[in-house]
Structures are given as structure tokens and as C-alpha cells.
Amino acid sequence: MNFYKTFLSVCLLSFATHSIASSEIDDIMSEYNQKNRFSSKTIDENKGNLVLYTREDIERMHATRLRDIFKTIPIVYYHENRYALPDPLTSGMFEPYRSSFIRIYIDGVEVTQGWAGSGLVIYGDINIDFVDHIEFYYTTPSYESSSESAYVTIFMYSKDPVSDGDATIKLTQGSRGYNEQSVSVGDKIGDVSYMINLAHTDAKREKIDNGTSAPLSRDFEENQLFAYIKDDREFFHLQIIDKKTDSFAGASWDATPLESSMDYLNVHMDYGIDINQNFKFTFAYDWLKTTFDHEDDYPLMNAIAMGAKTLHGYSINDTFTAELTYKQTFDNHHILAGIKDRYKHLQSIKLDGNSSIEPDFNLEHIISLFVQDQYTLNEHHLLSASISYNYINRNGGVSDDDLYHFRLGYIYNNAQDTFKVYLFRTQFAVEPTMRSFNFGNYYDIEPQTSYGISAEYHYQELYKQIRVGAIYMQDKDSLLKLGLSDNSKDTRYFISYIDGEYQFDTDNKIAFRIYNSHYKNIYNYDSLDDISAYLSFFNRFGKFDFYNGFVYHINSLDWKSYIDWTSTISMDINENLTVTLKGDNILDRAKETNIFRFDPSKTPEMMMEPLHVSPIDRMFSINVEYRF
Amino acid sequence: MILILAYTQMFALDKESTLKIYTKILSSIFPTKKQINVYVPNREYYDILKSSNKLNVVDDIKKASIAIVTNLKELQSVKKLNKDIEIFATNEKLLFQDQSIVGAFYWKKGRSQLLFIKNRLDRYHIKLSDEYDKFIIEL
């Protein structure tokens, strides 16, 4: 297929739909949409540099999994590691998990996976049928929302039963037998709101040829429950994910496993209460059981296999987090202070045959103190200053860490313009998975210290907006090196971006993003340039809704262009029934990750040609949505 | 303005844009009236619409030209008090359930939707301007 002809056709089709100028009622409805959508109530300008997906965006993109959104965000793209886990920061080498510094929150509460750190490892590709909107913030956000050091913080907010009171059933059938079903119910009775969402996914994914008669599989079957109950003062969330996965290359050095599967059973629950106008308390509990089955004809790479060719068993870890925050306004000072206590525990690792591994290092205890002052100079100018301290205590003879963070910010804001600049220092400690499950056994690693500055200007009118910005960051003792203890040179980042949106009327809009990143001393590269872009068209003709999205990537490793085209055509059969046809990665040219391989049969071991794997499958699907 | 909002405030309507859209819709339904008497049983909408210069929120339904309802309970109560009054809804389901509702402005799939039913507009001799053509359907 000629990409340029296709692209031109989509552009012409898109522009042809909005020849009629918007009327006064269109203008008023657009203004109402902007000011009343749920996201307009959760966005805090002081959180940082935002990429937002509104409910309308998610609906019109027909995004069913977080991956559908994540693949379009810039800089930190959606990638999967050799275990087929969401791991955007993976180097493609043999580390167990890299992306601990991408944090994930649901309705303001962090979801963690204890030993891996971030909940991204499980939640990075969940079914998002329960989600209203998603906010991605770059660099350290405001303590109003998160006190964890992060490269990217993802906030997902669940649907509101007041505007989503109907029950909904969604059924999807796709290529290779891929199928997905979800059902949602919610309501508000008196002051109490509730929502229950159940989703089942049987993901038949593309197989990857590894040179053997048994190609690598990433298929998974997942059952997911999301539920909450809340009123104006209290909330309780319960999330359960049961995911059975083929774990791709797994623990095989040359990516030719005889067996490779991992099953995850995860429970997250949290409770929050506004004790009074000033104090808020939140408690969260995360529990994860991982069952693993690995087998190869050479010793496995996994550190706990200790040279064995088979590894069957399970591990359990859990995390308790309690947080108390205090808010008060004195004159023009909006003060926020808080204390957080997090306790991570790796229970023993049980192996088949009733043996077990009892690691010396199985506890991590983190105490965090933070305070932030937002000082309003007048209605247009705001200064903010934040400081926090983390003390991380570990057992098993692993060194403790003291981490200090600060952020200074200035925001100018009026009806149309926003300018913000932040200066920050952040420290990152390696999460336990990288310390204890890595084949290098990195027990004592210096925390990474990052200094940075970011600036952004945003101009917005009713039907158009444009944003330009730049971020500079420098890491001392960078953890984005192949060897975690390689502190020879600082890692440097210079990122610039421009994005914009033009809405022709309530039904038709075009949006774009262009990012340019330049890195020094990252992983094992002296220098790396990376350019990405996302162009999207949203159109509506009568009962038909169209979405076309193009994600473009190119980098200096090989200057190869990657294009991921997603297209949907949706038809409202009646007010309750919608049918959608969707194509993902239609051109089969989405961005790929190198999965590196060693040949263990050679002495010394030799590097093999890496596998080039895209985390985005080419798939065509039909979706039926019924509301009742 | 900088948004620093507590979790409990998340679901409130934006006053200015809500007032603007209802003033526009009701003025289009009653283009010749300088003041439109509206009966609004819902507290949140009542508080917002009562600040309008064009709309006159009344407590006595008999003085009202139109009622705005947000749920089934309010609809039943309004019809009990005045079975002939024109009704506008903020809920899609009510619009398709009840023949006495001429139109609705509601939230669906993350954006606002406006819909009028043609034969019901005709029944009340309501003639909307051309800009509403795409919001009128026949059942």
C-alpha cells in the first residue's frame, strides 16, 4: 500500500467534512464541553507538563486498552520487554524490569507492584473501559497529586456514574481470534456513587519468528475487575487482575525457550477519607502472586534459577501504603504537607517440589515527608516551592538510601495564555526487582540524581490551541545505563516539542504533536537523536464517526521510519447501539524494540542478531457497544 | 485561574457555560418572549438558572412555560403538577421514554449532545431556527 496516497486520502476526507462554518449553538456547546468535561476538573496547571486524553478522545479513538493510548504519547513510548511486559524504558537487554520510574495512579491513588516498584508492570496495558480520561505528566509532578519521583506519571480517572449512569456492554472480535468483552454498571443513589466494571480479554497476538519451529508467543488471557464506592467524603476502590500470559523470550538467553509463561494474580484496594477540611488520609494495599514456568535447553538467565534449565514456582509480594496530607491556605499561601509510609515485602519464592528460596533481602520500608507552598502573587501569577525527603530502609545487608527532592515553579495564566517554568532536583533509587532478580545482583547501587529545567507556553482559544516547550535534564549516576553501576558520564536529555489542535466544529478536529529528543550517554550510546510525531483526525458525518491516527518515529540508530496508522469507522445504529470497525497498525510498520540475544552454545557466548519486535500488533476488529 | 480543587468538588457544573447553553436553548424555543418562566426542581440547575436575566425561575409550575427535569422522579412530579407543560430534559433516556419531552441536552461519551424530536416540537408549535436542523430527529 502506498502510504503517502493513503495519508493524502485521509487528509482530504477529513477536510471535506467541515466545509460548513460553526454556528452560535456549536460555539456554546464547545465551550460547555471544555468547561464541564471531567478532565477540566482534575487538571491542575501546577502538576507539570501535561499530555491529556479526554473522555471524548478515548471514545472516538475507540481505545480499549491503555496501550492504544500509550503508543501515541511522545518521548517515553509504549514498549514491551523480553517477558512481554509493558516496559517503555527497556534497553532490550537482559534486565528484569526498567520502568519503575513511570508511575501509575487511578483516581488519585498510586497502584504499585511492590518488588517491581511501579504498577505499570501489570497496569501498563489494562482494559480501560472504566476510564473517563487519562493525564500523562512529564518529570516530577506537584505533591498535590504525587510525591513519587518519576519520569512520567500517568493519572487515570474512572467514569462518573452521574454522566455514565447507563449500563454498557462492549464486545470485540479481532484478527487471529482476539476477543474482548466488558460490562459496566454504575449509579448514584442519594450521596453514594458506585461503579463496577468487568472485562475479559483473550488476546491472540502476532507470533515472532525466532529461527526455530516454535515462534515466540505473547498471547494472554485476562480477567479484570474494577469497582468503587464513594460519597463526598470517602472512597473505596477494589481492583483485581488475573492475567495468564505467554511470556515471550522469557528467561532464555537466545530467545528460544522450550517453555515460557507467567501468570499474575493482582489485588489492589484503597480507602480514602477527608477527615476534615484540612486533613486527608489514604490507605492502599497491593498484593501480587506471580506464577512462573520457564524451561530452556541451556541454563536460564533468571538469577533465582541459579544455573538450572527449568524454573517452575511462584512468588508473592505485597505493599502497604498509608498517607496523611494536610492542606491549609494562609493569605496567599496554599500549603500542602504530608507523610507517607510504604512497606514492601517479598514473601518466600516457592519452587515446584516443595523447595523454596528465602532471599536475605525481602523488605523495603520507605518513609516520605513532603511540603509544598503555592504562593499566589495575584490572579495571574503563581509561585510554587516543594521539598521532600525519602528514607529507604532495606534488610539483608542491602544499603539504605536518603533521597532529597525539590521543585521550584512559576506559572503565568490568563484566559488564553499559560506559561510555566520549573526547576527541579530529583533522586531515583533502584527498585528491588532490579537489585535482587538481575543476573548482576546489583545490591548496592547509588541513587540517580537528576537536575532539570522545563519551560512551556500554551495558547488556547475556543476552537484552537498550541503549545511549545522544552525540557533539559542531567542525570548523575544514571540508571539508564546498561550497567547500573556505570557512573562514568552523566546522562543528558534535551527535549523540545510543539503540539496543537484545531477544532472545525463540535464534530471535526485535527491535532498534532511533534517531539525532538537529543540524549547523551544513555544506555550504551554516546549520543542518540529521536523524533516522534502524532497526527490525528476526528470526523463525524451524521451517524458515522471516523478516527485516523498516525504515529511516526525515527531515531539516529538507523534512521529508519516507523509509521503506525490506526483507523476506525463507527456507526450509531440507534441511540443505544454502536458498531465500530477498527484497524490497528494497518501498515504493519509500527515502532519496534530490539530484543538482544546471546548464543549460550558458544564459548565465550556470542551476541546474536537481535529480534526486532513491535509491541503493536497489526489487527482488524469489529466492536459492538450496547447501552441499556 | 489556577485549578486547585478538592476531590469532592469534581462533579459540579460550570456555572457560566451551563447558564449560557440553557439561556440559548430556551430562548430559541421561545423566540418572542423577553422573559421565560422556567420550573426547575433540581437544586443545582435551579441555583445556576436563577442568576439569569433572561430566564425567570419560578416556584409555581402553573406560571412556568417550560420545565427542566434531570431524572424520572422529577419528571413524574412535574407531570403530576401540570400534565400539559412543555418539558426539556438533561437525560437521553428520559427523552426516548416520555412523549411529553420536546428535547434534551445531555452528556454522552464524553461530550454534550443536543436532540429535539420533530413531532413533539410540532405538537407545541415550536419552530427552531436553521442552526438547529442537525439536532432535530424524527421518531
Side-chain angles (χ1 to χ4, degrees):
Chain A
M1 188 183 295
N2 185 323
F3 168 72
Y4 297 101
K5 279 185 183 170
T6 307
F7 181 71
L8 194 62
S9 304
V10 170
C11 292
L12 289 172
L13 177 71
S14 177
F15 286 110
T17 61
H18 38 69
S19 53
I20 300 166
S22 63
S23 62
E24 187 189 354
I25 186 71
D26 283 329
D27 294 350
I28 296 173
M29 283 175 70
S30 288
E31 185 184 343
Y32 183 88
N33 282 345
Q34 280 183 15
K35 292 186 174 172
N36 285 277
R37 64 193 184 195
F38 189 14
S39 52
S40 70
K41 302 184 171 55
T42 61
I43 294 169
D44 174 354
E45 284 291 358
N46 193 32
K47 274 184 188 170
N49 304 90
L50 165 72
V51 175
L52 168 70
Y53 289 83
T54 65
R55 171 71 183 283
E56 185 182 357
D57 293 336
I58 295 170
E59 290 281 354
R60 298 184 77 182
M61 290 166 76
H62 292 278
T64 58
R65 302 192 70 80
L66 185 55
R67 177 188 358 182
D68 297 338
I69 301 292
F70 213 152
K71 73 176 187 178
T72 69
I73 75 155
I75 309 171
V76 180
Y77 322 124
Y78 181 80
H79 276 311
E80 292 172 352
N81 62 19
R82 61 194 313 113
Y83 295 90
L85 294 170
D87 193 356
L89 298 179
T90 185
S91 68
M93 292 298 275
F94 305 99
E95 70 267 7
Y97 196 67
R98 280 271 183 181
S99 302
S100 308
F101 311 135
I102 301 172
R103 303 283 179 177
I104 198 158
Y105 287 69
I106 296 179
D107 289 342
V109 181
E110 188 184 5
V111 180
T112 66
Q113 291 311 329
W115 229 232
S118 168
L120 194 79
V121 62
I122 302 294
Y123 283 71
D125 186 31
I126 53 169
N127 181 294
I128 54 170
D129 191 33
F130 68 91
V131 173
D132 181 273
H133 64 281
I134 305 172
E135 300 168 8
F136 292 84
Y137 287 95
Y138 288 83
T139 69
T140 307
S142 156
Y143 295 157
E144 200 85 31
S145 48
S146 165
S147 57
E148 297 293 330
S149 47
Y151 286 180
V152 176
T153 310
I154 304 167
F155 293 92
M156 293 193 281
Y157 291 92
S158 58
K159 290 175 180 171
D160 163 30
V162 176
S163 53
D164 284 286
D166 295 327
T168 309
I169 291 178
K170 288 184 183 176
L171 306 172
T172 302
Q173 184 68 46
S175 313
R176 299 174 294 277
Y178 184 105
N179 64 88
E180 197 159 23
Q181 306 82 34
S182 67
V183 57
S184 281
V185 290
D187 203 354
K188 185 171 186 181
I189 301 168
D191 293 332
V192 178
S193 307
Y194 74 90
M195 179 182 168
I196 300 169
N197 176 271
L198 284 165
H200 169 262
T201 306
D202 186 4
K204 305 291 188 209
R205 302 188 59 189
E206 288 178 326
K207 301 284 190 288
I208 304 297
D209 181 20
N210 61 353
T212 73
S213 58
L216 296 171
S217 173
R218 302 171 288 176
D219 292 355
F220 64 85
E221 184 169 9
E222 180 188 75
N223 293 302
Q224 181 183 314
L225 163 74
F226 172 85
Y228 69 68
I229 183 165
K230 65 187 173 193
D231 63 15
D232 287 347
R233 190 162 167 256
E234 297 172 84
F235 62 82
F236 175 76
H237 291 91
L238 173 66
Q239 289 137 228
I240 299 174
I241 294 178
D242 180 10
K243 187 173 183 179
K244 295 176 172 34
T245 70
D246 290 341
S247 56
F248 198 51
S252 170
W253 288 100
D254 58 355
T256 59
L258 297 173
E259 185 179 7
S260 179
S261 70
M262 295 177 88
D263 300 339
Y264 303 93
L265 179 59
N266 164 250
V267 178
H268 169 94
M269 56 182 87
D270 60 67
Y271 168 77
I273 180 169
D274 290 326
I275 298 167
N276 56 35
Q277 283 191 323
N278 303 114
F279 286 97
K280 179 177 178 178
F281 175 74
T282 311
F283 175 79
Y285 176 65
D286 294 272
W287 182 89
L288 177 66
K289 179 181 180 182
T290 308
T291 305
F292 42 82
D293 290 289
H294 298 298
E295 188 173 346
D296 200 3
D297 40 13
Y298 289 95
L300 299 169
M301 74 167 70
N302 193 312
I304 61 170
M306 293 183 289
K309 295 179 182 175
T310 61
L311 187 65
H312 302 282
Y314 69 89
S315 69
I316 294 175
N317 75 72
D318 50 12
T319 306
F320 300 85
T321 306
E323 183 173 6
L324 181 69
T325 55
Y326 170 78
K327 280 183 191 179
Q328 182 62 278
T329 301
F330 303 101
D331 298 325
N332 293 337
H333 294 272
H334 180 77
I335 304 289
L336 174 86
I339 180 168
K340 182 157 74 175
D341 194 8
R342 177 168 287 171
Y343 179 87
K344 303 176 185 176
H345 179 216
L346 173 68
Q347 298 180 19
S348 61
I349 302 165
K350 303 284 185 192
L351 302 179
D352 283 3
N354 291 326
S355 62
S356 64
I357 297 171
E358 303 289 343
D360 294 336
F361 172 41
N362 64 359
L363 288 174
E364 194 173 83
H365 183 202
I366 308 166
I367 296 173
S368 308
L369 299 167
F370 50 93
V371 62
Q372 173 178 285
D373 181 11
Q374 296 182 122
Y375 178 68
T376 311
L377 294 166
N378 59 39
E379 65 173 322
H380 297 302
H381 301 271
L382 183 136
L383 294 172
S384 70
S386 324
I387 187 162
S388 84
Y389 166 71
N390 305 136
Y391 171 65
I392 307 178
N393 173 252
R394 306 180 181 95
N395 72 348
V398 181
S399 60
D400 297 345
D401 280 319
D402 293 286
L403 308 180
Y404 298 90
H405 320 272
F406 79 77
R407 188 177 80 147
L408 294 173
Y410 165 75
I411 302 175
Y412 169 79
N413 186 271
N414 66 28
Q416 293 183 322
D417 309 271
T418 304
F419 174 74
K420 55 178 94 170
V421 58
Y422 296 105
L423 189 66
F424 56 87
R425 176 195 195 267
T426 309
Q427 290 191 292
F428 300 85
V430 181
E431 293 288 348
T433 293
M434 284 290 270
R435 288 175 192 272
S436 58
F437 289 167
N438 212 342
F439 65 93
N441 271 339
Y442 292 106
Y443 263 32
D444 295 311
I445 297 292
E446 282 293 311
Q448 171 183 311
T449 303
S450 301
Y451 300 90
I453 183 167
S454 70
E456 180 180 287
Y457 171 72
H458 181 209
Y459 177 80
Q460 182 169 27
E461 286 183 17
L462 183 59
Y463 285 115
K464 58 192 171 195
Q465 58 171 308
I466 192 157
R467 184 194 322 260
V468 291
I471 301 170
Y472 174 78
M473 196 164 93
Q474 183 168 341
D475 301 338
K476 186 174 176 299
D477 300 318
S478 172
L479 298 173
L480 290 187
K481 298 278 184 73
L482 282 191
L484 294 180
S485 54
D486 175 9
N487 56 8
S488 53
K489 288 180 181 173
D490 290 357
T491 299
R492 295 164 196 256
Y493 315 71
F494 184 81
I495 296 161
S496 54
Y497 56 90
I498 178 167
D499 65 59
E501 182 178 303
Y502 187 83
Q503 196 176 329
F504 297 92
D505 52 39
T506 49
D507 292 332
N508 300 288
K509 75 171 181 180
I510 181 171
F512 74 93
R513 276 188 217 125
I514 301 170
Y515 278 68
N516 178 55
S517 309
H518 178 69
Y519 306 97
K520 286 276 189 192
N521 305 313
I522 191 163
Y523 298 114
N524 59 337
Y525 307 116
D526 292 335
S527 175
L528 176 64
D529 289 289
D530 187 272
I531 297 165
S532 65
Y534 171 52
L535 180 63
S536 57
F537 302 90
F538 297 85
N539 301 102
R540 189 166 176 85
F541 293 107
K543 290 182 172 184
F544 291 93
D545 221 352
F546 298 85
Y547 162 73
N548 284 283
F550 299 88
V551 181
Y552 176 80
H553 291 286
I554 191 168
N555 68 38
S556 59
L557 294 181
D558 55 9
W559 294 113
K560 182 179 175 185
S561 295
Y562 296 96
I563 296 162
D564 178 1
W565 175 29
T566 304
S567 184
T568 70
I569 303 171
S570 185
M571 181 186 178
D572 292 331
I573 306 291
N574 58 41
E575 67 274 9
N576 294 325
L577 184 64
T578 305
V579 176
T580 303
L581 300 175
K582 184 180 182 190
D584 288 287
N585 188 16
I586 293 170
L587 305 173
D588 205 14
R589 286 176 58 188
K591 176 119 174 79
E592 295 172 339
T593 309
N594 283 340
I595 300 291
F596 292 96
R597 302 186 288 172
F598 269 127
D599 184 348
S601 67
K602 301 280 194 312
T603 307
E605 293 94 341
M606 285 178 59
M607 285 293 281
M608 301 167 68
E609 172 67 21
L611 297 175
H612 306 289
V613 183
S614 173
I616 309 300
D617 296 324
R618 186 187 205 194
M619 187 169 84
F620 297 93
S621 59
I622 181 167
N623 173 279
V624 178
E625 179 181 348
Y626 182 66
R627 304 169 71 216
F628 57 100
Chain B
M1 284 295 289
I2 306 297
L3 285 166
I4 303 165
L5 293 170
Y7 192 81
T8 52
Q9 293 172 292
M10 280 182 177
F11 306 119
L13 290 164
D14 174 70
K15 188 176 172 181
E16 188 187 344
S17 58
T18 305
L19 183 59
K20 208 172 189 177
I21 189 81
Y22 281 96
T23 304
K24 168 71 180 170
I25 293 168
L26 298 181
S27 301
S28 303
I29 293 174
F30 303 103
T32 57
K33 292 193 182 212
K34 285 185 181 169
Q35 280 265 306
I36 303 163
N37 289 349
V38 194
Y39 181 76
V40 189
N42 180 276
R43 196 75 223 167
E44 190 175 11
Y45 283 90
Y46 180 98
D47 288 342
I48 291 172
L49 299 188
K50 76 177 181 186
S51 59
S52 167
N53 294 325
K54 175 85 180 175
L55 308 178
N56 181 32
V57 181
V58 295
D59 294 326
D60 182 356
I61 195 167
K62 288 179 183 135
K63 294 179 183 168
S65 304
I66 192 165
I68 295 175
V69 297
T70 66
N71 57 41
L72 185 62
K73 196 175 165 189
E74 289 171 10
L75 175 66
Q76 289 167 340
S77 160
V78 162
K79 289 180 77 174
K80 198 172 173 184
L81 292 167
N82 184 347
K83 64 181 171 57
D84 297 322
I85 193 168
E86 290 173 38
I87 302 172
F88 190 84
T90 67
N91 181 309
E92 182 191 23
K93 205 179 261 182
L94 291 182
L95 177 68
F96 289 100
Q97 271 177 3
D98 197 288
Q99 298 288 324
S100 54
I101 299 175
V102 293
F105 180 67
Y106 53 92
W107 206 250
K108 185 179 180 181
K109 295 188 175 183
R111 60 181 180 155
S112 60
Q113 312 274 344
L114 177 62
L115 212 54
F116 290 96
I117 311 291
K118 185 160 187 334
N119 64 332
R120 300 181 196 169
L121 292 173
D122 293 343
R123 191 195 315 152
Y124 289 103
H125 309 292
I126 297 169
K127 174 71 181 152
L128 293 171
S129 60
D130 293 348
E131 66 176 325
Y132 287 92
D133 285 353
K134 63 181 176 181
F135 302 114
I136 300 172
I137 60 163
E138 296 198 44
L139 279 185

